[in-house]
Amino acid sequence: MTRKIRTRIAPSPTGFLHLGTARTALYSWAYARHHGGEFVLRIEDTDVARSTQDSVDQILAAMQWLGLDSDEGPIYQMQRLDRYREVVDRMLAEGTAYRCYCTPDELEDMREAQRARGEKTHYDGRWRPEPNKALPAPPDGVQPVIRFRNPADGVVTWDDLVKGPISIANREIDDLVIMRADGVPTYNFAVVVDDSDMDITHVFRGDEHVNNTPWQINIFNALGAPLPLFGHLPVILGDDGQKLSKRRGAVSVTAYRDTGYLPEAMLNYLARLGWSHGDDELFTREQLVQWFDGTHLSKSPAQWDPAKLSWVNAHYLKTIDEARLASLVAEQLERRGVAAPVDRVRPLCALFKDRCTTTAELADWLAMYFADVAPSVEDLAAHVTEAVKPAIAGLRDTLASVEWNKSAINAAIKQTIAAHGLKMPQLAHAVRVLVCGRAQTPSIDAVLELFPRETVVSRLQKA
Ligand code: GLU
């Protein structure tokens, strides 16, 4: 019988959901959805000292924002300690795991001696049971850790979904601690118990776990559990060709949300980063699900490209529902303490969205409609000159009574420049500086029309 396809994402809540994990989550989710399978969210919180609730909250928020809905979870490993203990007890009884009483000092001495001999450091197997081997007597007062009794020889091989066949000799791998003295399991053990209990068929994860996979396969085998398929995704590199990391300017998924990226753009961009479907650069969530069958995954590292992400975001900014765009921009304005009713924001977005790549940039433009502007001294000096001031006063008087629409405003401006012998840019720049707080804007009549008349008149008063 073929197994139902089940994938998972298993973030550790020791920081924000970073972009690499988000991409892995996306691929796992899309793969499950493509096959009509299920997607599980598991929080790997066994690193008690570094796991935080804040980080869990951020991860959940990021997943929700990206629309990566799970069929099960969040499942927390720390709520499954009894289950790990149960499996350990079974392995102890079956001889696939054993108690090791080495103290940290002893282990350090062991490594020290190995280094001194020029050997690679490894656990020397002193508590590993062997036929006809006499083990030392357990010392008093030492709580043992549990180690996996890794097969001594043979080769672990798997056909990686991304990297192709990989083999590692068992003699390269030592007996790993699977449960600490306090009863908390280590990653490589808990992950196997969970992937097995949760009936996971496909494990996608970052490259950095390739070296863990042989241990995990050996533990699956020791448990007699069916193996999932593994796909290890290459790292994402930053602009500088180094692995994207917190220190290298990588920010969290939620930071992109907060700085005005759209989830559909992020999803689209992340999907393309390490996977392709012909030459398609822009595609919907539905198309991704339809196309994502686990093939065409890139073996080489992807390069994070902020300019491309902006391009993708700009595309979605132009195409999304206007009411939704308006409410996102209103939120951005609210973040900067500017209250803006959504129904007023909507026509404003229509005028500015073509020149913006994020909702934050849109908010930068729109703030002038809802809050005072502060033109710079340089702009005032350059554009609001003595030569132009009489024309500004004339325009202000005309605008006080014209019909309030673009063509009437345009006629008033033209009439003013003719009356004062000015060129269009001279007056338009001055008006922009005074009313908008900057010298460059879209067409001035279109920009002014969207202000209340009183605002325009009173800002022109300041010349
Ligand atoms: N908790 C691990 C991590 O965040 C999960 C790795 C895996 O998917 O097995 O890297």
Side-chain angles (χ1 to χ4, degrees), residues 91-251:
M91 291 172 75
L92 287 169
E94 291 174 357
T96 54
Y98 61 92
R99 294 182 180 81
C100 167
Y101 292 87
C102 285
T103 61
D105 283 346
E106 252 179 283
L107 288 170
E108 195 36 54
D109 291 346
M110 184 191 300
R111 291 191 205 107
E112 192 56 42
Q114 288 165 346
R115 277 192 286 262
R117 291 196 298 269
E119 289 171 20
K120 208 173 116 192
T121 58
H122 61 279
Y123 176 66
D124 66 4
R126 62 181 71 170
W127 289 93
R128 176 180 166 115
E130 300 287 3
N132 307 321
K133 170 178 167 188
L135 291 175
D140 283 341
V142 177
Q143 269 297 331
V145 300
I146 310 297
R147 284 185 187 270
F148 175 56
R149 191 170 184 283
N150 198 70
D153 26 56
V155 175
V156 187
T157 299
W158 77 96
D159 193 3
D160 197 272
L161 294 166
V162 182
K163 295 174 161 306
I166 299 182
S167 295
I168 299 195
N170 273 322
R171 74 185 124 70
E172 301 288 327
I173 312 172
D174 57 8
D175 285 355
L176 151 101
V177 174
I178 57 174
M179 188 171 276
R180 302 181 188 100
D182 62 4
V184 177
T186 58
Y187 159 69
N188 277 301
F189 175 61
V191 80
V192 173
V193 175
D194 288 353
D195 284 341
S196 164
D197 284 356
M198 294 165 201
D199 211 9
I200 300 300
T201 55
H202 295 72
V203 169
F204 292 100
R205 62 183 165 210
D207 234 354
E208 68 275 18
H209 288 291
V210 167
N211 292 337
N212 289 320
T213 303
W215 271 313
Q216 295 181 19
I217 290 176
N218 285 337
I219 298 173
F220 269 103
N221 289 337
L223 297 176
L227 287 173
L229 296 174
F230 296 95
H232 292 90
L233 301 161
V235 291
I236 301 176
L237 301 177
D239 291 351
D240 54 0
Q242 303 285 322
K243 186 177 167 180
L244 208 59
S245 70
K246 270 188 231 179
R247 262 174 301 131
R248 299 212 128 77
V251 285

Side-chain angles (χ1 to χ4, degrees), residues 302-314:
Q303 178 108 22
W304 187 257
D305 180 352
K308 183 166 173 199
L309 174 60
S310 292
W311 174 76
V312 175
N313 205 57

Side-chain angles (χ1 to χ4, degrees), residues 344 347-348 351-352 369 404 409 445-452:
R344 273 212 62 210
L348 299 172
L351 179 60
F352 291 94
Y369 287 99
W404 199 247
I409 294 169
D445 47 3
V447 169
L448 292 185
E449 173 192 44
L450 296 168
F451 278 98

Side-chain angles (χ1 to χ4, degrees), residues 7-177:
T7 63
R8 60 20 169 222
I9 186 70
S12 304
T14 53
F16 50 65
L17 186 73
H18 48 81
L19 300 160
T21 311
R23 184 187 60 171
T24 306
L26 174 58
Y27 289 177
S28 305
W29 172 87
Y31 192 77
R33 293 288 169 263
H34 176 84
H35 289 285
E38 283 161 352
F39 173 61
V40 178
L41 170 59
R42 183 168 76 224
I43 303 290
E44 300 205 328
D45 53 356
T46 57
D47 185 346
V48 182
R50 291 175 58 230
S51 295
T52 65
Q53 185 57 43
D54 186 47
S55 169
V56 171
D57 294 343
Q58 277 219 39
I59 290 169
L60 299 182
M63 296 287 291
Q64 194 192 19
W65 181 64
L66 288 170
L68 304 182
D69 54 313
S70 55
D71 302 287
E72 275 171 39
I75 297 166
Y76 295 85
Q77 289 190 321
M78 285 307 280
Q79 292 174 8
R80 288 175 44 80
L81 294 184
D82 290 351
R83 172 63 182 149
Y84 306 126
R85 167 54 67 188
E86 182 181 88
V87 177
V88 156
D89 287 345
R90 187 186 126 196
M91 291 172 75
L92 287 169
E94 291 174 357
T96 54
Y98 61 92
R99 294 182 180 81
C100 167
Y101 292 87
C102 285
T103 61
D105 283 346
E106 252 179 283
L107 288 170
E108 195 36 54
D109 291 346
M110 184 191 300
R111 291 191 205 107
E112 192 56 42
Q114 288 165 346
R115 277 192 286 262
R117 291 196 298 269
E119 289 171 20
K120 208 173 116 192
T121 58
H122 61 279
Y123 176 66
D124 66 4
R126 62 181 71 170
W127 289 93
R128 176 180 166 115
E130 300 287 3
N132 307 321
K133 170 178 167 188
L135 291 175
D140 283 341
V142 177
Q143 269 297 331
V145 300
I146 310 297
R147 284 185 187 270
F148 175 56
R149 191 170 184 283
N150 198 70
D153 26 56
V155 175
V156 187
T157 299
W158 77 96
D159 193 3
D160 197 272
L161 294 166
V162 182
K163 295 174 161 306
I166 299 182
S167 295
I168 299 195
N170 273 322
R171 74 185 124 70
E172 301 288 327
I173 312 172
D174 57 8
D175 285 355
L176 151 101
V177 174

Side-chain angles (χ1 to χ4, degrees), residues 367-369 371-375 432-438 451 459 462:
M368 65 185 176
Y369 287 99
D372 288 341
V373 292
R432 286 182 170 114
V433 169
L434 288 166
V435 179
C436 309
R438 53 167 107 193
F451 278 98
R459 288 185 189 172
K462 301 202 171 109

Side-chain angles (χ1 to χ4, degrees), residues 3 84 94 98 105 118 122 162 183-185 241 252 254 260 283 287 318 328 334-335 341 383 403 405 421 435 440:
R3 296 165 74 190
Y84 306 126
E94 291 174 357
Y98 61 92
D105 283 346
H122 61 279
V162 182
V184 177
S252 63
T254 44
F283 40 83
Q287 285 171 315
K318 289 189 197 107
L328 289 170
E334 202 181 309
R335 267 171 198 282
H383 301 291
E403 217 182 305
N405 62 44
V435 179
Q440 308 294 332

